[in-house]
Amino acid sequence: MPVSTLSLVAQILAACLVAATLLPFWRSRAGLVRTFDFPRFQIASAILPVLVLLVVAGHDPVSLALGAGLLAALGLQLRHILPFTRLARPTAKAAPAEADPERRVAILIVNVLQSNRAYDRLLRVVERHDPDLVLALETDAGWRDALSPLRARYPHGVDQAQDNTYGLMLYSRLPLDDVRVRFLIEDDVPSVRAGVTLPSGERFTFHGVHPRPPHPGHSSATRDGELVLVAREVAREAGPTVVAGDLNDVAWSRTTGLFQAIGGLLDPRVGRGAYPTFHADWPILRWPLDHVFFSEHFLLARLERLEHVGSDHFPILIELCRDASAEAVQEPPAADAEDRQEATEAVAQAREAASS
């Protein structure tokens, strides 16, 4: 390939990577814009080889300017990525090994992929890991019937099977109270809220969510608004809380950061790793969509990405522990005036989008 052509190719690739890095900083809820929140690891990984190609191809002013732009883009990507590596300090502290088992709760979250019919794979995973709560998303009538054996082990729960990929099922061996299935923004996208009582007698609130994702044909407005509404509820109640599910958002996005700040919720991934859960079949294109956030009343005993269950998502297993020292050793994020204003705008835009 002639040097001039190689240089042009390098310049085009560099310009695309710089644009892909900058686009998410635009506070637009357009699906195309918000889609670029997701592949930060992939974009960062592509920057270095393109930078080398740019250097090899030529030293003209355009190449030099784009090279500087790539270095700046890499810095911006790393600023978002590094908190989700072991180079950062965890914000959610680890529970002591001797923590009281009656104050612990293990929760498994899995987006089953509605069209996936490998029911036995998930049943084996549940049997192997034996969590206290199972939140299964994208569950239709077929999944409800296939998972019915779980009811013997998990007598409490919620059945909200739907055939639109937004069904959800909650299975619990722990007693539940004040169980509510809500449609916070869209009338076909449910979430669940329930009180959960630990063996110790302590109670916490559990929220299971699965908002609609943004993509080039659909804005992030309804997703963002639903997450803000859940976060506001968490803040109002100010008690021990866990929010879990497929948020259809990545841990490093502005929306997730706003959700955490409004709700005062901790992310166990910080300082431990990204734990990418989607896409289970495409190792090069993976990012963390399935999350568990919790209030400062809990310490983290375990966090695992589990084995493939035939879905396009990996399950996540987390074990939390109520601990008297938890609030003293952890500092959850807090919202400022700008965050609260943005939250108000997000809810208004979500309701407008849902009604249009």
Side-chain angles (χ1 to χ4, degrees):
M1 179 181 294
V3 172
S4 60
T5 304
L6 182 62
S7 179
L8 179 60
V9 169
Q11 290 173 4
I12 291 171
L13 291 173
C16 289
L17 290 171
V18 171
T21 298
L22 295 177
L23 198 57
F25 288 94
W26 182 16
R27 292 283 182 89
S28 168
R29 301 192 195 280
L32 179 62
V33 174
R34 296 277 58 91
T35 297
F36 283 94
D37 281 325
F38 291 55
R40 290 197 179 275
F41 274 93
Q42 289 79 7
I43 293 170
S45 298
I47 285 175
L48 284 178
V50 172
L51 184 60
V52 170
L53 183 62
L54 204 61
V55 170
V56 169
H59 302 283
D60 57 281
V62 173
S63 294
L64 292 174
L66 285 170
L70 280 178
L71 288 174
L74 181 60
L76 290 172
Q77 296 291 5
L78 291 176
R79 190 180 78 178
H80 287 81
I81 291 169
L82 288 178
F84 301 95
T85 70
R86 294 186 179 272
L87 297 175
R89 178 177 298 180
T91 53
K93 305 303 181 184
E98 66 276 11
D100 185 351
E102 294 199 340
R103 305 188 77 190
R104 292 176 178 246
V105 58
I107 306 170
L108 189 151
I109 305 96
V110 56
N111 181 322
V112 301
L113 180 62
Q114 183 174 294
S115 60
N116 170 29
R117 297 309 180 198
Y119 305 125
D120 288 348
R121 295 177 71 171
L122 179 56
L123 289 170
R124 287 195 296 268
V125 164
V126 173
E127 182 176 3
R128 183 177 305 119
H129 296 280
D130 195 30
D132 299 299
L133 276 75
V134 178
L135 177 66
L137 304 168
E138 285 202 26
T139 41
D140 60 3
W143 274 99
R144 177 182 57 205
D145 294 344
L147 296 180
S148 60
L150 294 179
R151 289 301 181 200
R153 186 184 305 180
Y154 300 98
H156 313 283
V158 171
D159 177 351
Q160 186 61 33
Q162 297 183 183
D163 63 2
N164 67 343
T165 73
Y166 291 97
L168 61 82
M169 306 287 293
L170 177 64
Y171 303 85
S172 176
R173 68 157 52 96
L174 302 175
L176 303 180
D177 65 82
D178 193 23
V179 179
R180 306 179 207 170
V181 174
R182 290 98 58 85
F183 297 84
L184 295 174
I185 295 291
E186 299 181 273
D187 59 12
D188 61 347
V189 178
S191 64
V192 62
R193 178 194 183 280
V196 184
T197 301
L198 297 171
S200 64
E202 295 166 293
R203 182 183 181 279
F204 70 92
T205 301
F206 176 83
H207 293 265
V209 297
H210 182 206
R212 198 181 301 274
H215 54 74
H218 188 274
S219 84
S220 69
T222 57
R223 178 201 68 183
D224 300 349
E226 180 171 339
L227 294 180
V228 166
L229 288 176
V230 172
R232 282 177 169 177
E233 188 171 339
V234 171
R236 283 196 305 270
E237 295 180 349
T241 304
V242 176
V243 181
D246 173 3
L247 272 62
N248 276 313
D249 197 14
V250 283
W252 46 75
S253 80
R254 171 64 187 166
T255 299
T256 294
L258 179 67
F259 162 76
Q260 287 185 255
I262 296 295
L265 296 166
L266 298 164
D267 185 347
R269 286 183 164 104
V270 173
R272 293 184 172 88
Y275 292 83
T277 56
F278 175 91
H279 192 289
D281 296 324
W282 303 341
I284 296 175
L285 292 176
R286 280 184 185 163
W287 34 74
L289 294 188
D290 304 274
H291 305 266
V292 183
F293 298 97
F294 50 90
S295 62
E296 72 272 24
H297 307 87
F298 294 94
L299 297 178
L300 178 67
R302 178 172 44 152
L303 178 64
E304 295 180 43
R305 187 185 73 182
L306 302 182
E307 56 265 44
H308 204 309
V309 292
S311 172
D312 50 355
H313 291 246
F314 290 106
I316 284 282
L317 177 67
I318 190 168
E319 186 174 6
L320 302 172
C321 181
R322 289 280 279 119
D323 190 281
S325 68
E327 294 176 71
V329 300
Q330 299 178 121
E331 185 176 354
D336 58 21
E338 182 182 353
D339 293 328
R340 288 189 287 273
Q341 178 60 34
E342 186 177 349
T344 298
E345 293 171 0
V347 172
Q349 291 173 16
R351 287 176 172 153
E352 180 181 354
S355 64
S356 60

